[in-house]
Amino acid sequence: MALDGAFLYAVKKELLPLIGGRVEKVHQPSREEIIISIRTRSGSRRLYISANAGSARVHITENSVDNPQTPPMFCMLLRKRLGSGKLVDIRQDGLERILFLDFECVNEIGDIVTVTLACEIMGRCSNLIIISEEGKVIDSIKRVDEDMSRERMVLPGMKYTLPPRDDRLNFLTAEADEIKARLASADTKELSKTLIRIFEGISPILAREWAFFAGRGVHIESDSITEDQLDRLLFTIKRTREQLINGECCFSAVSDKEGQLKDFSFVRLSQFGTLMYTKELSGASELLDYFYSERDRSLRTKQRANDLFKLLMNLTERTSRRISVQRDELTACAEKDRAKLCGDLISANMYRIQKGDSSVTVENFYDDSCPQMTIELDVRKTPAQNAQHYYSEYKKCVTAEEKLTEQISRGEEELQYLESVFDALTRASSENDIIQLRLELREQGYVRYAGGKAKPPKALPPIEYKSSDGFTILVGRNNKQNDQLSLKFAEKSDIWLHTQLITGSHVLILTDGETPPDRTIEEAAVIAAVNSSGRGSGQVPVDYCLARYVKKPSGAKPGKVIFTNYKTAFVKPDAELEQSLRV
């Protein structure tokens, strides 16, 4: 991720108004997270600090986080050391990924002392360290002993030392001649990698953006950079410097076409072209709050639904295997007509067969050319018994064919249902969505009732959108809600949409008796495509018709409907458009 030293510089500028504020509360929601409430003249702000390897950061947050009933020991220590303390300074050494928060506090004997929080944002080495006025470590959220690191230990009572630091340039102060000299002596070829080695505090995404601008989108090798490309590189570095110092950054988050957040930066990103969607936010803290809360929420949702994913995958695999075996058996039933023919020919040629014969060759008078046909016989049976054996085989095949056809049809319907639940689970955006899917699977007999007296939460309403023409569009969150939306809530004149031959949510345009324009139908079709298993495709067919033509077959599983009098629209899934229309 792109929380580099330069981005931390932008965060620091946003935190400066907190100087002079006093500590109100300290909470520790999880083992590696701290939230400090600071009261300033303009109101209370919540400072969030994380030392998690995958999401280390520091910023002001607006999100609420549940706190444990019993605060951890590190939280109690922070409360003791920082209680009612005054934030007097926020420091950063160059573009190092460390913010020092200096608090003026009162110790046990009433003396005013300075306590420093070192917020080290360094990936898996991230840490939050409490430092005394004498420069010694009071404690840290992650203690580092000699078994973990021999170069730099972080333990109570030890003197605080800075992490090892390479000799690199600070692009906020570096001169053009220094940059040219470093480029000339670089031992790497790819320009973006060279820039990372030259400058401190820049992330790969920023280095690639500089290289992209310098080469106008063409790959550049460090040892073959032209004068024009070098001038463009120096220009974009200078422009980034001015944006950062003057507070004119463009805070951007990029996501793929499926809506998954990938990276962020404090500059406008051009390197991805049309491959990624870009969302701009007003500040560094707002960007970090949005990016990590969305990503962590999605991750937590997937983790909580992990058992359902495994269950659905196992059920799908088992059902597919069963259908495959049944199809093989159905193929074997194709021999039923030959069994009947053998029985008929044995009955017609009874006089030519003796008990003990292993086979008989007769004329097949059912064929116009009367070819010779050899029929295998059981030597232990009489001719009549052999004929009866073939008739029995024929009846078995006829019965099996009827049963297998019915079972395969039910199996395919079950497989389609499981795929629809799996698709809904991949799009689940909250714990409530997962609970409702779990209840649906329990009602269908796939999940056992685990007991418990707690009532399940009330289901969330359908996802609501507003078309560009002002029409309300509703989307079901799961199969049960799809049925309610399409069969109970919908008026006869409303327009119903669903992706053709692939799993997805039911979509409803509320028309209020009016005829919506083509643009609204197209936008609803795009919404249907995004809320389906075809959201990653280049083009998706979407069927639509009046809601009056949508019916549910008797005994069908949730979400299964039939419809007539429909038309088909071919649309490209557009997650950005879908998000912009969401209410």
Side-chain angles (χ1 to χ4, degrees):
M1 297 302 163
L3 186 49
D4 50 23
F7 198 103
L8 200 59
Y9 182 91
V11 173
K12 173 196 164 187
K13 290 178 71 70
E14 288 191 1
L15 298 184
L16 291 179
L18 296 181
I19 294 178
R22 291 196 176 273
V23 175
E24 276 189 317
K25 299 176 182 177
V26 178
H27 295 292
Q28 187 173 355
S30 67
R31 190 169 63 90
E32 298 174 340
E33 291 178 300
I34 291 292
I35 295 179
I36 303 175
S37 295
I38 299 178
R39 185 180 70 255
T40 66
R41 291 184 177 181
S42 58
S44 293
R45 308 303 299 273
R46 300 167 71 237
L47 181 64
Y48 176 91
I49 306 170
S50 171
N52 183 276
S55 58
R57 62 197 190 274
V58 52
H59 59 88
I60 296 170
T61 183
E62 300 295 336
N63 293 329
S64 58
V65 183
D66 294 334
N67 296 302
Q69 292 183 350
T70 304
M73 292 299 297
F74 187 78
C75 179
M76 297 294 290
L77 178 63
L78 276 176
R79 291 176 179 178
K80 176 182 177 182
R81 295 286 182 169
L82 301 183
S84 299
K86 180 181 179 181
L87 180 62
V88 293
D89 197 12
I90 301 176
R91 299 176 285 115
Q92 183 184 15
D93 184 9
L95 290 182
E96 279 290 279
R97 292 179 294 170
I98 306 175
L99 275 190
F100 296 97
L101 309 177
D102 295 330
F103 292 89
E104 194 177 79
C105 309
V106 178
N107 63 12
E108 295 90 339
I109 59 176
D111 294 336
I112 297 177
V113 295
T114 299
V115 177
T116 300
L117 281 186
C119 308
E120 299 183 351
I121 312 300
M122 298 182 294
R124 62 185 181 86
C125 297
S126 299
N127 210 340
L128 176 61
I129 305 170
I130 312 174
I131 307 170
S132 69
E133 198 170 35
E134 295 77 23
K136 292 185 177 181
V137 175
I138 298 174
D139 207 345
S140 59
I141 203 166
K142 291 190 287 188
R143 294 182 179 180
V144 182
D145 56 22
E146 60 180 0
D147 293 332
M148 301 171 67
S149 174
R150 293 186 179 181
E151 293 185 1
R152 181 175 180 257
M153 293 186 290
V154 181
L155 294 171
M158 297 187 66
K159 185 173 180 60
Y160 175 80
T161 58
L162 291 170
R165 187 173 182 179
D166 297 329
D167 179 24
R168 293 186 288 179
L169 297 177
N170 181 343
F171 79 91
L172 296 181
T173 57
E175 298 293 337
D177 291 340
E178 292 180 281
I179 298 174
K180 290 179 180 179
R182 291 292 183 100
L183 280 172
S185 61
D187 57 356
T188 55
K189 287 189 175 183
E190 188 177 346
L191 180 59
S192 62
K193 293 182 179 179
T194 301
L195 293 173
I196 293 174
R197 292 194 178 189
I198 290 176
F199 296 105
E200 72 172 359
I202 70 168
S203 60
I205 193 171
L206 180 58
R208 290 196 304 268
E209 192 64 27
W210 285 352
F212 180 86
F213 181 86
R216 292 184 171 91
V218 178
H219 178 78
I220 301 177
E221 299 290 340
S222 301
D223 55 358
S224 60
I225 187 170
T226 65
E227 284 296 326
D228 177 63
Q229 291 171 341
L230 181 58
D231 289 342
R232 288 179 61 83
L233 177 62
L234 294 175
F235 172 80
T236 189
I237 292 174
K238 181 181 178 182
R239 183 176 61 180
T240 305
R241 174 194 306 166
E242 293 172 351
Q243 290 174 341
L244 198 56
I245 293 175
N246 299 331
E248 299 172 351
C249 301
C250 176
F251 298 101
S252 309
V254 291
S255 58
D256 60 21
K257 294 185 177 180
E258 294 184 359
Q260 296 295 320
L261 290 166
K262 294 298 183 182
D263 218 327
F264 59 88
S265 183
F266 61 92
V267 298
R268 183 173 281 107
L269 300 172
S270 304
Q271 59 189 278
F272 300 109
T274 59
L275 297 177
M276 294 279 188
Y277 297 120
T278 302
K279 181 180 178 67
E280 296 183 2
L281 294 103
S282 61
S285 291
E286 184 182 353
L287 173 58
L288 293 175
D289 226 9
Y290 164 76
F291 184 90
Y292 284 105
S293 63
E294 285 292 312
R295 197 195 65 166
D296 293 348
R297 177 184 55 78
S298 176
L299 181 62
R300 284 194 297 269
T301 299
K302 296 297 182 291
Q303 289 174 342
R304 289 170 180 170
N306 191 46
D307 61 325
L308 290 186
F309 276 117
K310 289 182 178 179
L311 172 67
L312 290 170
M313 290 177 69
N314 291 335
L315 288 171
T316 300
E317 184 179 353
R318 191 184 312 161
T319 305
S320 298
R321 283 201 308 265
R322 187 175 71 243
I323 292 174
S324 179
V325 171
Q326 290 170 344
R327 283 176 176 160
D328 291 340
E329 293 176 356
L330 184 62
T331 301
C333 291
E335 297 293 320
K336 67 180 186 302
D337 292 332
R338 188 181 187 282
K340 183 175 184 301
L341 176 62
C342 290
D344 290 342
L345 293 177
I346 291 174
S347 298
N349 293 275
M350 198 83 69
Y351 65 95
R352 299 169 60 179
I353 306 171
Q354 299 294 326
K355 183 178 181 180
D357 290 345
S358 60
S359 64
V360 61
T361 301
V362 296
E363 296 80 12
N364 181 7
F365 50 80
Y366 288 99
D367 194 321
D368 292 340
S369 60
C370 291
Q372 295 289 317
M373 181 176 174
T374 300
I375 303 173
E376 299 295 327
L377 301 174
D378 188 338
V379 296
R380 297 168 298 177
K381 296 179 180 179
T382 64
Q385 289 173 333
N386 272 295
Q388 189 59 40
H389 167 73
Y390 278 108
Y391 284 136
S392 297
E393 287 297 317
Y394 170 74
K395 291 179 180 179
K396 285 181 183 179
C397 287
V398 170
T399 304
E401 194 172 51
E402 293 176 356
K403 296 294 184 182
L404 286 171
T405 301
E406 182 182 347
Q407 290 173 357
I408 291 173
S409 177
R410 286 203 305 266
E412 289 175 342
E413 183 179 338
E414 181 180 10
L415 191 62
Q416 186 178 15
Y417 171 73
L418 293 173
E419 289 173 351
S420 70
V421 177
F422 189 90
D423 175 56
L425 192 58
T426 60
R427 292 183 282 107
S429 59
S430 66
E431 180 69 15
N432 189 292
D433 290 338
I434 297 173
I435 292 174
Q436 298 305 320
L437 287 170
R438 199 181 298 275
L439 290 173
E440 180 183 328
L441 289 172
R442 183 192 300 169
E443 291 174 1
Q444 296 300 312
Y446 294 108
V447 176
R448 291 182 180 178
Y449 180 65
K453 298 181 179 179
K455 291 185 178 180
K458 186 178 179 181
L460 295 172
I463 306 172
E464 185 176 347
Y465 299 83
K466 187 73 71 174
S467 76
S468 301
D469 303 299
F471 285 84
T472 298
I473 302 172
L474 301 179
V475 176
R477 296 176 182 270
N478 50 57
N479 286 311
K480 289 182 64 178
Q481 197 169 80
N482 285 338
D483 281 350
Q484 294 171 356
L485 187 66
S486 304
L487 305 170
K488 295 182 179 180
F489 182 81
E491 299 291 336
K492 292 183 179 181
S493 59
D494 292 339
I495 296 179
W496 180 89
L497 303 93
H498 191 275
T499 48
Q500 187 181 88
L501 301 178
I502 57 177
T503 56
S505 295
H506 294 195
V507 178
L508 193 68
I509 303 175
L510 305 185
T511 63
D512 291 329
E514 300 180 14
T515 301
D518 292 342
R519 181 171 62 174
T520 291
I521 296 176
E522 183 179 353
E523 289 174 348
V526 170
I527 291 171
V530 173
N531 287 280
S532 75
S533 57
R535 54 190 171 276
S537 305
Q539 191 178 62
V540 176
V542 178
D543 295 332
Y544 64 96
C545 65
L546 293 176
R548 71 177 67 181
Y549 298 121
V550 179
K551 308 293 180 186
K552 187 169 188 66
S554 178
K557 288 188 174 292
K560 175 70 174 178
V561 295
I562 55 176
F563 52 95
T564 56
N565 299 74
Y566 64 91
K567 296 180 181 179
T568 303
F570 292 85
V571 296
K572 180 181 180 181
D574 189 340
E576 191 172 8
L577 174 63
E578 184 260 353
Q579 285 294 327
S580 67
L581 297 176
R582 187 175 290 209
V583 175

